[in-house]
Amino acid sequence: MSPASNNEPAELTHTDSASGGEPEVAILCEETPGKLRRDIASGQSFDTARLIRFVVSPDGILTPDLLQKLPGRGLWVASERAALEIAVKRNIFSKAAKRQVKATPDLIPLVHDLLRRRCLDLLGLARREGGVINGFEKVLSSVKSGKAAWLIEASDGAEDGRNKLLAAARAVNIPVAGAFSNDELSLAMGQENAIHAALLGGRRVQRWAAEMARLSGFEPLTSPDWARGRGSGDTSP
């Protein structure tokens, strides 16, 4: 029976690329001092905050351990879709574990979904602690005043209000999250029609940034059109 994957918020941080080459199996799971571990897809060492840990159940099922706490020998992969695809396609998990390991067909979308859920969970926690505000005027004021650490925009929100907030965020150089829909943000924060939000400074910011960085290895955090001040449905040059 496979251990349950954990999807509580965790204290983690960034993503990185994996090379296409396959490293020697002997070093795939070698642990190095501190928080560094080997990415089995590239053979390079990264901080564990930039990796996803997997464990193998007694019956050989590969299980994501996003909290990095499940018992057993950890198999580490850079938090990127390409790195995970390499590890699965080349059967590197089995080589690293030195036993037959089964990766279920939904492993990659499962990891992606868990990362999304963890970001939303952290946002909900921050909201309950008073670390998130929403509403266009309040968010705009917090961005311009420097109180906002992140601007959070619903992916399906109206273009005019979003563009004004994006311009304000660019002016003060704060990051923008636009990966979640109105419904997802509303549910996470326990509010109706959450379109514009700001994550204020506080203890949740670093953890949120960490998980968003890991998520960025699986999807863009904003639409490319947003950087050009266009809506996703605008096809004009």
Side-chain angles (χ1 to χ4, degrees):
M1 184 174 183
S2 63
S5 59
N6 42 32
N7 37 336
E8 304 168 30
E11 304 171 19
L12 304 164
T13 43
H14 299 310
T15 58
D16 204 284
S17 301
S19 69
E22 183 174 342
E24 293 295 328
V25 174
I27 67 166
L28 288 177
C29 291
E30 178 185 341
E31 296 188 355
T32 51
K35 294 182 178 180
L36 297 181
R37 297 292 183 270
R38 297 277 186 183
D39 165 23
I40 66 172
S42 68
Q44 299 180 56
S45 293
F46 298 111
D47 191 290
T48 56
R50 306 166 71 174
L51 302 167
I52 295 173
R53 183 178 186 262
F54 295 85
V55 295
V56 183
S57 70
D59 51 354
I61 304 298
L62 190 65
T63 302
D65 174 26
L66 272 68
L67 271 182
Q68 304 177 356
K69 291 183 177 180
L70 290 178
R73 184 185 187 188
L75 307 175
W76 302 81
V77 181
S79 186
E80 291 192 343
R81 183 183 299 273
L84 192 48
E85 287 174 345
I86 288 170
V88 172
K89 181 178 180 180
R90 298 184 181 178
N91 201 28
I92 299 177
F93 283 109
S94 294
K95 296 173 184 177
K98 298 181 180 179
R99 56 174 291 191
Q100 188 59 39
V101 174
K102 180 181 179 181
T104 59
D106 67 342
L107 179 67
I108 295 175
L110 172 62
V111 171
H112 185 182
D113 182 62
L114 289 175
L115 287 169
R116 287 180 62 85
R117 278 193 257 163
R118 302 208 31 203
C119 292
L120 289 167
D121 286 346
L122 280 174
L123 191 61
L125 286 172
R127 170 66 186 177
R128 291 192 288 275
E129 294 168 353
V132 176
I133 60 172
N134 68 331
F136 178 83
E137 294 297 339
K138 290 181 180 179
V139 171
L140 181 60
S141 176
S142 71
V143 171
K144 288 184 174 181
S145 67
K147 293 180 180 178
W150 276 75
L151 171 64
I152 302 164
E153 286 288 300
S155 58
D156 50 355
E159 180 182 352
D160 54 350
R162 179 177 66 234
N163 285 344
K164 291 176 183 177
L165 288 169
L166 290 176
R170 285 193 291 269
V172 295
N173 194 30
I174 64 169
V176 179
F180 308 109
S181 69
N182 175 15
D183 286 346
E184 289 174 313
L185 292 175
S186 298
L187 182 62
M189 295 192 289
Q191 293 188 319
E192 292 184 4
N193 202 31
I195 300 291
H196 315 291
L199 179 62
L200 307 178
R203 68 191 189 95
R204 297 289 176 193
V205 173
Q206 184 177 0
R207 296 174 69 187
W208 160 267
E211 294 301 342
M212 289 299 290
R214 293 208 302 175
L215 178 62
S216 71
F218 287 80
E219 65 174 292
L221 298 187
T222 63
S223 165
D225 289 328
W226 289 15
R228 297 189 289 271
R230 292 162 48 186
S232 57
D234 184 357
T235 58
S236 60

